Amino acid sequence: MSHSAVPAATCPFTGASTPTETAAAAGEAAAAAATTFDAGIEAPVADWVTIPDLHENPFPIYQRMREESPVHWVPAVNRYMVTSYAACHEIEQDEARFSANEHNSLMKRSMGHSMLRKDNPEHQVDRDAYGSTLRPGTIKKHWNAIFEANNEKYLSELLAKGPGADFVWDYAAPYTGENLRLIMGFHNATQQDMQRWSQTLIDGTGNYADDPEVWAKAKASSDEVDAAIDEMLPHLAKNPDQSLLSGLASMPIPLEAIRANLKMTIGGGLNEPRDVLATTVWALLNNPEQLAAVKADPKLHAVAFEESVRWVAPIGMYPRETTTDLVLGGVRLPKGARLGVVLGAANRDPEVFEDPETFNIFRPKKPHLGFGGGVHFCAGTWIARAQVAQIAMPSVFEKLPNLRLDPSAETVDAGWVFRGMTKMPVLWG
Amino acid sequence: MPTITFTQPTGEATEVTVEEGTSLMRAAVTNGIEGIVGECGGQAMCATCHVFVRPEFAGQLPEVSDDEDEMLDCTTAERTDSSRLGCQIKMSGELGNIVVDVPSDQV
């Protein structure tokens, strides 16, 4: 049976020290599923939504959309956008009616057919092939020490660069890039390669404008990744380590799936922890009383991290496709409808979160949807929590106690499908 | 069919009847039991379906696997000897009328 009691501090990731209210947000799926197709209304058309406006600041747009209807047809995005917590949650928990295996997927074109665009049972085969590399036990035994060394190195480089250095590009990006390089086992690449691969493959995934130059860059990175994998697999088969590539070298997974899954992981494992790290630090610097509380109680780093993922989900939207005629949030959706599950909007739904537009680490804790849910729940969740909340954040505030935004320079947050800080010059002296 | 009784920290108890083979987490989520989230859909990845199994039923449960063990170290409410993940408990006839306590904190 159960092990004997373990010390409370064994898991470094949970920072629960504030009162918690568990949400009763689940459970309305059954009622909606039973609704007949004819009972739904036609989706309202949000023709006023534009991609440049979403990119600059999607949150007022989401607010207006949620107030009107949980589901809209959005011509600019050429899909239905789902913005309420309840409807996004319903989708996540029901892969039979909401398939991840989207037709004409830009992600498949950019990265190949990864597990993120497969349904079960196919998805689970690929996911299981990742083994224990990304799980808390391996993180504790193996990755944390590596993350600490990388943090030391890249924080020193930020300091060496001097005041006015950019928190994102001179620290968060190389730090998370180097961590991911080692997690994945690309011993024949650099963190700069990882950053280039990640950005260009993601740009392909979001290439709704069908820009040939974007496709060319994504293809070049895709070819580079394939070559790097081909070189590493035989080496790691003989010299195994804790990395994903090493585990895959001994698994009966087709090369095509390995390539696609690793490209998806490059896209999902670098920009997102980079963005959460910068967004969380930015939010704390803008809220000195919350920052003071975090400095006084190290457990609050984890709370601030989760609140940041809720407040600005680094992956703000992902696609699904309906497998049948259905009604979602009272709106009729035909079979084959292309949906955008807008986590960035769901996480600010006032039906679930009080004063949702505000970053507040003291809010009653409720489950956010920032890591997705159901079978596609983010496989890198614990890696992100470890490298950002457990290692980077405490070290940043300890080594740079006077860290502040550079008032003479511009700070920019941008994006909607992916959102984070694009410019964040800082001072610390 | 087996039944599960979920007891909340307030003392309020809810009994649900489930098909054999259903996980305790799925039973809770489907029936809207407060305090069981089940974020990851049942793959022992999120630690949000933590329950305390009453001792009289503990012996009828399968051993804690390595995956469940490391995840139980990451629960929000502190782990105890009776801690299990609901997604790893498959309901069967032998389990009869299991009673579990829902922790006060799940996220």
Side-chain angles (χ1 to χ4, degrees):
Chain A
M1 238 324 284
S2 287
H3 291 222
S4 56
V6 290
T10 304
C11 182
F13 307 107
T14 48
S17 63
T18 48
T20 297
E21 283 179 17
T22 42
E28 36 177 297
T35 317
T36 63
F37 188 58
D38 294 335
I41 59 157
E42 201 67 36
V45 178
D47 53 6
W48 49 275
V49 173
T50 71
I51 288 181
D53 287 349
L54 283 168
H55 183 82
E56 192 187 327
N57 182 6
F59 298 115
I61 297 172
Y62 297 157
Q63 225 171 334
R64 177 171 161 193
M65 289 173 85
R66 266 191 323 256
E67 280 167 16
E68 286 175 3
S69 170
V71 184
H72 286 78
W73 172 256
V74 184
V77 184
N78 195 29
R79 58 178 71 231
Y80 296 89
M81 284 173 71
V82 182
T83 51
S84 77
Y85 185 103
C88 287
H89 188 259
E90 182 177 337
I91 292 171
E92 291 190 332
Q93 297 300 324
D94 187 353
E95 43 156 17
R97 291 191 305 149
F98 302 97
S99 170
N101 193 358
E102 189 191 37
H103 290 86
N104 303 312
S105 155
L106 295 178
M107 186 186 193
K108 286 185 200 167
R109 180 170 167 190
S110 182
M111 301 180 175
H113 196 173
S114 76
M115 63 176 98
L116 209 57
R117 292 287 172 275
K118 292 179 183 175
D119 296 320
N120 277 348
E122 292 81 9
H123 155 269
Q124 204 62 45
V125 174
D126 285 13
R127 182 155 177 147
D128 289 346
Y130 271 24
S132 61
T133 299
L134 307 178
R135 296 188 60 97
T138 312
I139 294 170
K140 200 170 96 184
K141 285 198 286 279
H142 186 71
W143 297 121
N144 277 345
I146 289 169
F147 296 164
E148 272 166 23
N150 289 339
N151 182 67
E152 190 79 26
K153 174 174 157 65
Y154 290 103
L155 204 50
S156 301
E157 289 191 8
L158 176 79
L159 286 168
K161 194 127 189 182
D166 192 292
F167 188 85
V168 181
W169 304 112
D170 295 321
Y171 165 62
Y175 166 62
T176 51
E178 181 65 1
N179 288 345
L180 184 66
R181 186 180 77 81
L182 296 169
I183 292 163
M184 296 189 72
F186 283 115
H187 304 301
N188 52 354
T190 64
Q191 57 86 4
Q192 290 89 346
D193 293 329
M194 300 297 293
Q195 288 197 56
R196 184 179 66 258
W197 293 343
S198 173
Q199 196 57 55
T200 50
L201 290 168
I202 284 177
D203 290 345
T205 294
N207 191 12
Y208 292 99
D210 207 21
D211 182 339
E213 199 180 324
V214 170
W215 284 128
K217 285 184 180 168
K219 174 76 169 63
S221 285
S222 180
D223 291 346
E224 284 179 42
V225 174
D226 288 347
I229 292 171
D230 290 349
E231 188 179 43
M232 286 314 302
L233 283 176
H235 172 78
L236 287 167
K238 285 197 209 106
N239 310 281
D241 63 17
Q242 301 286 339
S243 69
L244 287 176
L245 262 163
S246 178
L248 291 165
S250 60
M251 295 289 292
I253 298 287
L255 182 61
E256 191 194 342
I258 292 178
R259 287 173 165 179
N261 288 327
L262 290 179
K263 286 169 201 167
M264 177 274 288
T265 304
I266 292 170
L270 196 163
N271 291 26
E272 293 68 25
R274 175 197 76 196
D275 291 346
V276 180
L277 174 52
T279 299
T280 313
V281 169
W282 178 63
L284 288 171
L285 292 176
N286 282 323
N287 291 277
E289 69 300 334
Q290 295 185 49
L291 176 57
V294 169
K295 285 179 174 175
D297 179 3
K299 277 186 175 175
L300 290 175
H301 286 293
V303 178
F305 172 92
E306 294 301 327
E307 169 62 356
S308 171
V309 176
R310 180 203 69 82
W311 187 57
V312 181
I315 297 180
M317 184 183 91
Y318 64 79
R320 285 291 181 268
E321 192 173 290
T322 56
T323 59
T324 178
D325 291 350
L326 56 86
V327 173
L328 177 69
V331 173
R332 215 155 48 215
L333 295 172
K335 177 181 176 177
R338 289 153 67 83
L339 314 182
V341 184
V342 191
L343 302 182
N347 277 351
R348 293 191 182 201
D349 188 337
E351 291 287 318
V352 178
F353 301 100
E354 197 182 315
D355 189 18
E357 305 295 326
T358 304
F359 176 85
N360 177 11
I361 62 172
F362 303 114
R363 70 173 55 255
K365 292 212 293 175
K366 293 183 178 178
H368 62 73
L369 304 182
F371 291 113
V375 302
H376 292 281
F377 178 75
C378 176
T381 300
W382 299 98
I383 290 277
R385 287 174 174 155
Q387 65 174 319
V388 175
Q390 190 194 346
I391 291 166
M393 287 172 51
S395 163
V396 162
F397 291 120
E398 190 203 309
K399 295 210 166 105
L400 309 173
N402 292 317
L403 183 71
R404 59 199 186 275
L405 300 170
D406 182 347
S408 70
E410 191 190 21
T411 298
V412 181
D413 54 325
W416 64 291
V417 177
F418 299 93
R419 187 169 179 88
M421 310 304 298
T422 57
K423 272 195 196 135
M424 191 173 155
V426 288
L427 307 174
W428 52 82
Chain B
M1 289 196 291
T3 67
I4 310 167
T5 302
F6 295 93
T7 308
Q8 295 292 338
T10 56
E12 186 196 334
T14 311
E15 187 181 283
V16 302
T17 304
V18 298
E19 299 279 339
E20 295 219 3
T22 307
S23 79
L24 190 140
M25 178 280 288
R26 185 58 61 198
V29 170
T30 313
N31 288 283
I33 299 295
E34 196 170 340
I36 308 282
V37 182
E39 242 166 16
C40 76
Q43 39 190 339
M45 261 302 285
C46 71
T48 63
C49 61
H50 180 203
V51 291
F52 302 113
V53 175
R54 295 275 173 96
E56 57 269 36
F57 304 97
Q60 299 161 50
L61 297 179
E63 291 285 311
V64 176
S65 70
D66 289 347
D67 283 356
E68 183 179 354
D69 184 42
E70 65 178 6
M71 207 49 68
L72 283 170
D73 284 342
C74 296
T75 53
T76 297
E78 199 173 324
R79 178 182 185 170
T80 72
D81 282 348
S82 15
S83 288
R84 295 297 300 251
L85 294 183
C87 69
Q88 302 301 302
I89 301 175
K90 295 274 176 286
M91 293 310 297
S92 65
E94 292 91 76
L95 271 175
N97 308 307
I98 191 170
V99 181
V100 301
D101 292 296
V102 178
S104 54
D105 300 334
Q106 197 66 267
V107 294

